[in-house]
Structures are given as structure tokens and as C-alpha cells.
Amino acid sequence: MNSFLVTKGIERAAHRSFFYAMGYSEEDLKKPLVGVVNAQSEIIPGHIHLDRLAQAAKLGIAAGGGTPIELPCSGICDGIAMGHRGMHYPLASRELIADTVESMAVAHGLDGLVLIPNCDKIVPAMIMAALRLNIPAIIVSGGPMLTGRYQGKVVDVTYADQATGWLVKGRITPQELREIEHSVCPGYGSCAGMFTANTMNCLTEVLGLALPGNGTIPAYYGSRVALAKESGLRIMELIRDNICPLDLVKLESLRNAIAFDLAVGGSSNTVLHLMAIAHEAELALEIEEFDRIGRIVPYICKLSPAEGGCYLEDFHHAGGVLGVLKQLAQGGYLDTKQQTVAGKSLDQLIAEVGEINEEIIRPVNNPYRQDGGLAILRGNLAPDSAVVKTAAVPREMFRHEGPARVFDSEEEAIEALLAGRINPGDVMVIRYEGPKGGPGMREMLQITSTIVGLGLGEKVALITDGRFSGATQGAAIGHVSPEAAEGGPIALVKEGDLIFYDLEERYLELKVSPEELARRKENWKPLPPKIKKGYLPRYASLVTSAAKGAILLAK
């Protein structure tokens, strides 16, 4: 066992003394030492309740014959960081969290891990750490928030974001905005739609790293606590059988994850995260896989923020992750032989699925669309790639041409939008917001929600080398690569240039001649770094393109 490095032998007497100082017994040190990595904090609504899950997991570990050891983990609430300088940090924190888990586990000789995240970057970061360490590990997440109610409507946090635009347009009063603020998030849990956090939590099941229900059991439910206890018991079996993450996460399981993501119109951020996960597993996953799978996997489950979509609680009761996988398996879209931490293969788990509510999770022969809910675009504006969540784009905006309105930061774009300087038909271009140029590739939920709130969601497109929240709606094309800070074509766009895209054809074009672009490139100079101190300049110097998952590579 790894823990023998710190508990066994006469040369470890001092090490054992440190454990005794904390109240561990000699008997405790003879058992496997299991880290319970708890991302609880009082600054993230999706994490404020995780202590209860950690305690349940520790009970399971102790009952299974292990010694649980709780460890802390940082996390950022994307919603609170949104729309200001704080948003430079969440994606960059993915690497910090993975590094922290690695450091704590190796330095203390842990034999296994129960990983307890819930929100956007924390979930993929913990998956990355588990693969990097490759010791027995299981994920038990905090679960989704229940929906809110406002004037008889079922609402989630996107309603509050859109309300900013309604207030500017005079459609609601300041008092109504205040009432909306108090209505949309009724309590703890990850935001109620199929945004990034819930998409990634669902994918933990598909990848085989979490027990069934991890992606969808609401945070308020007692069965969420029971799941944590069961996960604690299960980690002891994984340790005894020496089943490690790399035994479970294969290229085929990553393809299964992409298929699920596309079938439910999940967050575009999963492109970044699945590629980073593949990198940690040393698996050759290329961004072309998302496009290849996206052209054949049908869109069968419409979830918020898609118009008319349901919420995670509804999805859970309709059949949840395994319900979608059962429908996809019947269409031949999955490799169901992949193994899971449950000790069963996907096909065995699928065989246990009961009745599916096909009004929510449709059969593959009756999809909302024949292709998936994400698309990878290319063209002279995005030679390496761009990503769009087609599930949240109005059909009338699937093909569009309009004049570029160019901004070198998100703040400039929001100012122009709120000042009424954006017109129907415009294509807003926000650049120098990529992994290097941001730095940190900021999410832009505030601006996309404001576009919708101003009534421009079916009239204005947005293109950026930054990224979008899983809650984003509208014609929002992100991850444009190469980014502006690396001299990509998006850096060469001028005010008024015509931009054309066709989502069906996966095409994104800047209607400027190659000769003119070459002249502009000769005169191009990058903007000076926006942030010059702290972690982010180091991050910017090491981070790769969004087309490669925005992973860090040592120079």
C-alpha cells in the first residue's frame, strides 16, 4: 500500500508520531489511508453543503475497513466570478486544483481517494488528478439545485441574468429585478440546468468514475447522502481489487462521454475538459472526434438552457444518465463494454434501468434533431476550430452574415450593448479573451444573457476566443483558435468586416481576401498583458490553445 511509505517500519517512527498527535490510533495506521477530498466552502452554493457528504463518505470508508482522512480543496463559483476580473481565474484554477490533489495524495502516501466536488472546474480538475495519480478513486458530487419559482414560472439562474436586459429595456422595474434575484436559486446545489457543472457531473457516470445517480440526484435528497456513504464503501473494494482510474477511462469511454454530451446538448466547456482529461490519461483524443460524433449522434434530451428544456430534477426522474445511455445503446452509439467503479460494465448498468420517460428522454428514432447539440466549426476565422452549443441557438440564427462589431475585452462589449450601440444583424467579436490573452479564457454568461434579455437573441451573433457558460443561450461561437493573443485571424478583424457562418455546414468565415489578411498580419502587434502579477502570467506562459483543451505544458 502507498501508506506504508508513511506508516510502516522503524524508520517511520516520527511519521507515526505526527498521526498520533492528531488522534489516530495504531489500529488506524494498519488500515488503508483514504483521502476524502472535500471542496466545501462558504462561497459556492454548489459546495456549501459538501461537509455532510464528506461525513457520509467517511462513515462508508470506516465501515469498509479503511481510515478516512479529510483533505481541503479550493474552488471558485463561476457565477459570482462572472463579468469582472474574477473570471480570469476559474479555468486557470482547474490546474491548481489538480496539482493540489496530486500534491496532497503523493506527499501523504494515500491509498485511495473519494473526491467530492460539484461545480464547473472542480469536477474536471479532480478527474484529471485521479488519472494523473492512478490510485483507486471515486467521485461523489454535491448534486443539482432545485429550480426556483417566480410568478408561477419555473426558473433558474439564467432568468436573473436575462432580467438585466429586461430592466434596461424597461420591461421590469427595479423591485421586480430584486424579486427575481431572490427567486431563482432556492438553495444549495449546482445550478439547475444542464450547465457545465451538471454536464461534468453526469459525465463522471459515463466515464465510469462515479456510481449511478451521481450526475442527477438533487442536492436536497437524502439519496444524495446515501450515495456518498455507498461511495465510501465502494472505494474500499476498489482498493482491495486495485482498480484504478486508468483501468476505467479509455478512449472508448471518452467517446461515450462525447456521445452523451451531444445527445443532451451539454455545455461547450466539456470540449476543453474532456480533452484535458484525455491528456492526463495519455489518450489521443482530437477535437475532430467531437465533430465526427456530433454528426451522427442524435439530440434526444432537451434541457435548460435550451428553449423549452427541462431541468435536472425532471431529468433525474425521467431516467437520468443511464436512461440516455440506454437510448443511445439501442441505436448503437455507445461502447457499452466499458467498466465502472460500480463493479459493473455500462451494459450491465443499462440492463437495470427501469421505465424511461420518453417525453423527456426521447428514443433515437424520434430525436429533436438528427445531429448532436454541439458543433465544431472551421474556416478562415477559426483555422484550428471554434465551438458552438447548437442546442441553445435559435433555428433562425443557424446561418447568418453581418458586420463585425469588434471589442478587445468583454467589458467593452457589455458597455456597448447596454448603451444601445449594437444593432440587429451585427456580429459581436470579443477577442483577447482566450487562454493566453484573457488570460484564463473568461466565460461570458453575463453578455449572452443580456443579449437575450434585450430581445436580440435571434438577431445578434457573438464570436470570441473566450468561452461561454453552460447556461449560455443564442448564437454564441467560442473557443476560436488560434486566439488573438497568438496572432490568430480573429486578431485581424476590423470594424464593419463581414462575417458569415453556417452551423449546419460547420463553417465560419471572415469575408476578407487572403491578401488583405496577410497585410493586416504584417502590421499586427499583440496587446500588452492584461495582468502582470501573480499566478495568471505564469499560467499564460504555459497554457496551450483551446483547440487542445487549454492544458498546461512545461516549456
Side-chain angles (χ1 to χ4, degrees):
M1 294 194 299
N2 289 334
S3 56
F4 287 170
L5 293 170
V6 296
T7 62
K8 192 171 184 179
I10 58 172
E11 69 277 18
R12 298 296 184 245
H15 298 66
R16 291 190 292 273
S17 294
F18 289 122
F19 281 97
Y20 300 149
M22 293 182 283
Y24 294 94
S25 68
E26 289 189 17
E27 192 63 30
D28 289 333
L29 301 190
K30 294 176 184 177
K31 301 173 184 177
L33 303 184
V34 183
V36 178
V37 185
N38 180 8
Q40 190 274 342
S41 74
E42 295 182 353
I43 197 65
I44 310 177
H47 285 217
I48 196 164
H49 64 300
L50 296 188
D51 276 353
R52 189 179 182 200
L53 301 185
Q55 291 304 312
K58 288 157 70 175
L59 286 172
I61 292 165
T67 297
I69 301 174
E70 188 170 341
L71 309 170
C73 178
S74 65
I76 294 174
C77 178
D78 285 44
I80 295 174
M82 194 74 64
H84 58 87
R85 66 180 183 177
M87 187 41 74
H88 290 288
Y89 287 88
L91 181 60
S93 76
R94 185 185 71 181
E95 317 309 316
L96 291 175
I97 294 165
D99 291 350
T100 298
V101 175
E102 174 198 354
S103 301
M104 295 289 278
V106 174
H108 299 106
L110 300 180
D111 296 306
L113 295 170
V114 176
L115 300 160
I116 307 180
N118 204 30
C119 290
D120 289 29
K121 312 310 164 298
I122 302 96
V123 180
M126 288 194 179
I127 297 173
M128 291 162 63
L131 292 165
R132 188 186 302 174
L133 290 162
N134 200 34
I135 61 175
I138 192 168
I139 294 171
V140 53
S141 303
M145 186 185 292
L146 299 180
T147 54
R149 297 292 188 277
Y150 177 70
Q151 295 184 349
K153 298 176 185 174
V154 178
V155 293
D156 62 21
V157 69
T158 59
Y159 200 77
D161 284 307
Q162 292 171 26
T164 300
W166 300 336
L167 183 65
V168 171
K169 295 285 284 186
R171 290 175 53 192
I172 61 172
T173 66
Q175 177 58 27
E176 287 174 310
L177 178 63
R178 183 172 178 271
E179 292 171 2
I180 290 169
E181 291 173 17
H182 284 273
S183 302
V184 296
C185 295
Y188 57 78
S190 49
C191 298
M194 189 56 88
F195 313 145
T196 305
N198 289 328
T199 305
M200 289 306 306
N201 284 325
C202 288
L203 293 187
T204 63
E205 291 189 48
V206 186
L207 291 170
L209 295 174
L211 295 178
N214 186 59
T216 59
I217 297 173
Y220 277 82
Y221 284 19
S223 51
R224 172 62 60 177
V225 181
L227 181 74
K229 192 180 298 182
E230 186 181 355
S231 297
L233 281 166
R234 186 62 193 150
I235 190 63
M236 298 311 302
E237 297 179 32
L238 297 173
I239 290 170
R240 280 191 283 272
D241 295 337
N242 194 32
I243 296 173
C244 298
L246 290 178
D247 298 320
L248 305 174
V249 178
K250 307 293 185 182
L251 192 56
E252 292 78 10
S253 51
L254 286 166
R255 289 173 177 147
N256 287 346
I258 295 170
F260 173 89
D261 193 11
L262 295 162
V264 301
S267 168
S268 57
N269 286 314
T270 55
V271 177
L272 294 171
H273 299 323
L274 286 174
M275 293 186 68
I277 288 165
H279 173 74
E280 293 291 352
E282 298 183 353
L283 297 170
L285 180 69
E286 301 294 335
I287 200 166
E288 284 77 14
E289 283 287 277
F290 291 85
D291 191 54
R292 181 187 67 79
I293 296 171
R295 291 178 183 272
I296 58 175
V297 170
Y299 176 37
I300 61 171
C301 185
K302 185 181 287 190
L303 295 155
S304 173
E307 185 177 355
C310 68
Y311 297 90
L312 262 290
E313 184 182 9
D314 309 305
F315 179 50
H316 173 67
H317 292 293
V321 173
L322 288 176
V324 171
L325 295 183
K326 183 173 183 177
Q327 304 287 47
L328 292 177
Q330 289 174 350
Y333 298 110
L334 296 178
D335 183 333
T336 59
K337 300 302 181 185
Q338 298 306 301
Q339 297 298 312
T340 74
V341 291
K344 300 176 181 179
S345 62
L346 281 182
D347 56 0
Q348 290 174 308
L349 293 175
I350 288 169
E352 298 172 359
V353 174
E355 184 177 352
I356 296 171
N357 181 345
E358 294 190 347
E359 291 184 5
I360 292 177
I361 304 173
R362 292 187 174 188
V364 293
N365 61 2
N366 182 34
Y368 289 100
R369 278 211 325 269
Q370 291 295 335
D371 58 350
L374 294 175
I376 306 299
L377 311 183
R378 280 193 170 83
N380 71 342
L381 187 53
D384 290 346
S385 63
V387 179
V388 60
K389 182 172 179 173
T390 53
V393 179
R395 289 302 301 182
E396 52 266 52
M397 290 298 290
F398 262 58
R399 192 173 189 271
H400 182 75
E401 179 176 301
R405 306 297 307 278
V406 183
F407 306 94
D408 286 342
S409 73
E410 181 187 10
E411 288 84 354
E412 294 175 15
I414 290 174
E415 180 185 356
L417 189 63
L418 293 177
R421 300 200 302 269
I422 302 301
N423 304 309
D426 286 348
V427 178
M428 299 182 71
V429 176
I430 306 177
R431 60 192 182 189
Y432 294 100
E433 291 287 5
K436 288 183 179 292
M441 203 179 181
R442 291 194 288 178
E443 283 186 350
M444 300 186 185
L445 176 59
Q446 183 177 8
I447 192 165
T448 55
S449 296
T450 303
I451 288 171
V452 173
L454 289 171
L456 296 172
E458 299 172 358
K459 301 169 185 175
V460 167
L462 174 58
I463 296 173
T464 180
D465 53 7
R467 61 193 176 91
F468 298 111
S469 164
T472 288
Q473 303 174 63
I477 299 170
H479 305 208
V480 171
S481 302
E483 63 174 292
E486 292 190 306
I490 193 171
L492 310 178
V493 181
K494 291 187 176 181
E495 187 83 5
D497 286 346
L498 284 180
I499 292 177
F500 169 77
Y501 68 80
D502 188 325
L503 302 188
E504 299 284 4
E505 297 297 325
R506 312 294 205 259
Y507 187 60
L508 178 59
E509 180 189 12
L510 173 62
K511 291 201 159 184
V512 174
S513 70
E515 295 78 15
E516 173 61 19
L517 286 178
R519 282 192 291 271
R520 293 182 187 181
K521 185 63 181 285
E522 287 178 4
N523 297 319
W524 172 78
K525 292 181 181 179
L527 293 181
K530 296 176 183 177
I531 298 176
K532 299 180 175 65
K533 294 174 64 178
Y535 168 58
L536 289 176
R538 299 197 301 275
Y539 174 84
S541 71
L542 299 174
V543 71
T544 63
S545 164
K548 297 184 180 298
I551 58 173
L552 297 191
L553 293 177
K555 289 190 174 180

